[in-house]
Amino acid sequence: MLSLFASIFLFLSCVVARPVEEATAASSYQIRGVSSPIFHLYLQALPSSASTPVLGPAASGEYFTIGSTIQSTNTSNYLNIGTASTSYKPLSFSKTSNTTAWALEGDTIITATASTYGRQLNFVACQLTGGYYSIYLQTGSDVPSGTCSNFQTLHLPCLC
Ligand SMILES: *[C@@H]1O[C@H](CO)[C@@H](O)[C@H](O)[C@H]1NC(C)=O
Ligand SMILES: *[C@@H]1O[C@H](CO)[C@@H](O)[C@H](O)[C@H]1NC(C)=O
């Protein structure tokens, strides 16, 4: 636990210590699906549950600062990966980050090769009511019950 806090502290110190030009270059981006049924649906919190990340309409899509953490600039919440015995891992938004596995590969959201999850880029999207889809990190072939679609990938609209 202490070493986890130490790494988080070191990570934060590095972020704070970054040169000004890099800090200003760190933009925030929307994150979206590119294949049916989540084609051009955007990452955001479910209106009825701030801790539930979903893909939904572009107009309510949040903006995120993406590094080894993914943080919403709209809500300040971090995108965390939860634990589960299944190969699909639930995602949640929280005021505190416990996930430093994220990375960008081009415009694609992945988990880093060196992370607990290895390099993963697939997500499972499951239909909710109201045109929203819940998402899980996919690390194998399990799929939740319901109307779900696996091998979905998440991308930045552009690298501008
Ligand atoms: C999120 O914040 C951006 C500015 O950083 C703003 O343009 C956008 O409308 C906000 N989105 C929501 C859903 O509040
Ligand atoms: C990380 O935090 C989330 C809440 O955002 C929680 O559901 C999850 O279990 C936590 N993961 C670990 C590994 O503690």
Side-chain angles (χ1 to χ4, degrees):
M1 220 40 187
L2 270 178
S3 69
L4 174 64
F5 287 131
S7 351
I8 291 172
F9 177 75
L10 275 177
F11 168 70
L12 289 175
S13 314
C14 292
V15 169
V16 170
R18 280 199 313 182
V20 170
E21 21 340 333
E22 277 186 48
T24 48
S27 308
S28 60
Y29 301 94
Q30 290 188 307
I31 296 175
R32 69 183 184 185
V34 294
S35 306
S36 176
I38 57 165
F39 180 79
H40 292 187
L41 292 184
Y42 288 77
L43 187 61
Q44 55 198 275
L46 188 65
S48 58
S49 168
S51 64
T52 306
V54 292
L55 294 171
S60 46
E62 293 171 30
Y63 284 73
F64 298 90
T65 305
I66 301 161
S68 60
T69 62
I70 295 181
Q71 183 179 24
S72 170
T73 59
N74 295 89
T75 67
S76 298
N77 283 341
Y78 291 92
L79 184 64
N80 287 335
I81 304 172
T83 51
S85 55
T86 52
S87 66
Y88 54 86
K89 308 298 180 193
L91 303 182
S92 61
F93 281 130
S94 174
K95 290 286 171 215
T96 49
S97 165
N98 63 16
T99 300
T100 53
W102 299 116
L104 266 178
E105 191 175 86
D107 70 355
T108 307
I109 304 290
I110 66 164
T111 55
T113 308
S115 74
T116 317
Y117 311 96
R119 176 183 172 274
Q120 305 290 344
L121 74 168
N122 292 313
F123 294 82
V124 183
C126 297
Q127 192 172 14
L128 301 174
T129 55
Y132 294 100
Y133 287 80
S134 59
I135 44 165
Y136 301 83
L137 178 70
Q138 181 181 348
T139 68
S141 53
D142 300 340
V143 177
S145 59
T147 306
C148 297
S149 170
N150 54 7
F151 298 103
Q152 293 288 342
T153 55
L154 297 177
H155 302 267
L156 310 186
C158 66
L159 287 170
C160 41

